[in-house]
Amino acid sequence: MESTEAKQPVNIYLEANPNPNSLKFVASFMLVPEGASYDFPSVESTDNAPLAKELFDFESVDRVFYMSNFVTVTKKEGFEWEEIRDKIKQHIQQYLESGQNILLDGTENANVINENDSETVKKIKGILDEYIRPAVEQDGGAIAFHSYEDKKVKVLLQGSCSGCPSSTVTLKSGIENLLKRMLPNDVEEVLAEGV
């Protein structure tokens, strides 16, 4: 699917984010299409993501997430970034320099609007994409649409947002307030699914 087509030196730099267990490994070029995000909460979810599968070979890795030009890695409790970040960075860098694809065909992006969505769902996905995605993307995560029923929106917290201490505040004070304000007749509550 997405080929890094590097076969040349790749620059990777690190960015911290509000989740102390996550770290962004930022490349000098786009890794996936703009607006697309791919979350891998376990090794079992990596069938179409060879780099993510390899990262789970590190005992310390708990979750992997791709978006734009970065890979967010969430570590397991009991490991310190100072001890593991350089090895993970080196692995990502070598993988990208090899020119291998980080995604294979068949990997789905959850936020895509499709023609079967109701008008309200299309509006919700549009708001999440336009207003929420850029903010949480800076922090190495994403909020993906899960479902809409009985004026309740369910979202998936991905990347650094999953397990982040400030995610509840972001969810209620940020996303829920924005959706209620922009769609007052359609949204009463926003909930995180699978947290």
Side-chain angles (χ1 to χ4, degrees):
M1 186 173 157
E2 283 300 301
S3 173
T4 58
E5 296 177 14
K7 304 220 179 176
Q8 61 193 12
V10 172
N11 294 320
I12 302 279
Y13 67 90
L14 307 178
E15 278 186 13
N17 60 68
N19 184 346
N21 289 325
S22 292
L23 197 57
K24 274 174 75 173
F25 295 82
V26 185
S28 51
F29 55 89
M30 293 298 283
L31 300 174
V32 299
E34 182 66 34
S37 63
Y38 303 90
D39 191 38
F40 308 101
S42 66
V43 70
E44 292 79 22
S45 64
T46 63
D47 287 344
N48 293 322
L51 172 59
K53 184 181 289 267
E54 288 182 12
L55 290 172
F56 276 105
D57 287 342
F58 288 90
E59 178 184 10
S60 57
V61 173
D62 192 45
R63 187 180 202 115
V64 178
F65 175 77
Y66 301 159
M67 188 166 198
S68 300
N69 65 333
F70 64 88
V71 175
T72 298
V73 174
T74 303
K75 69 175 181 66
K76 293 177 182 170
E77 294 290 336
F79 291 91
E80 297 300 323
W81 279 119
E82 293 76 25
E83 298 167 6
I84 60 174
R85 68 177 175 221
D86 291 338
K87 290 177 186 164
I88 293 171
K89 176 185 174 186
Q90 182 180 16
H91 188 86
I92 293 170
Q93 188 168 3
Q94 288 174 345
Y95 187 95
L96 296 177
E97 285 175 348
S98 75
Q100 298 177 72
N101 293 333
I102 65 167
L103 291 171
L104 305 176
D105 290 336
T107 310
E108 291 187 24
N109 175 14
N111 286 329
V112 174
I113 295 173
N114 66 58
E115 67 274 356
N116 297 328
D117 289 339
S118 70
E119 285 306 309
T120 301
V121 168
K122 288 177 184 175
K123 288 177 188 174
I124 291 167
K125 286 183 176 181
I127 292 167
L128 290 174
D129 185 55
E130 185 175 348
Y131 297 97
I132 306 302
R133 181 183 56 81
V136 295
E137 182 178 328
Q138 288 180 335
D139 288 338
I143 308 286
F145 176 82
H146 180 271
S147 61
Y148 172 75
E149 187 177 346
D150 298 327
K151 298 189 178 193
K152 290 183 169 83
V153 177
K154 289 186 180 178
V155 295
L156 298 170
L157 304 180
Q158 300 176 324
S160 64
C161 295
S162 179
C164 178
S166 60
S167 64
T168 304
V169 174
T170 301
L171 192 68
K172 293 297 180 182
S173 300
I175 299 167
E176 183 174 276
N177 286 345
L178 179 68
L179 286 171
K180 286 165 92 174
R181 190 173 72 244
M182 295 183 83
L183 301 170
N185 298 323
D186 298 314
V187 176
E188 290 179 354
E189 188 177 18
V190 176
L191 304 164
E193 182 68 17
V195 177

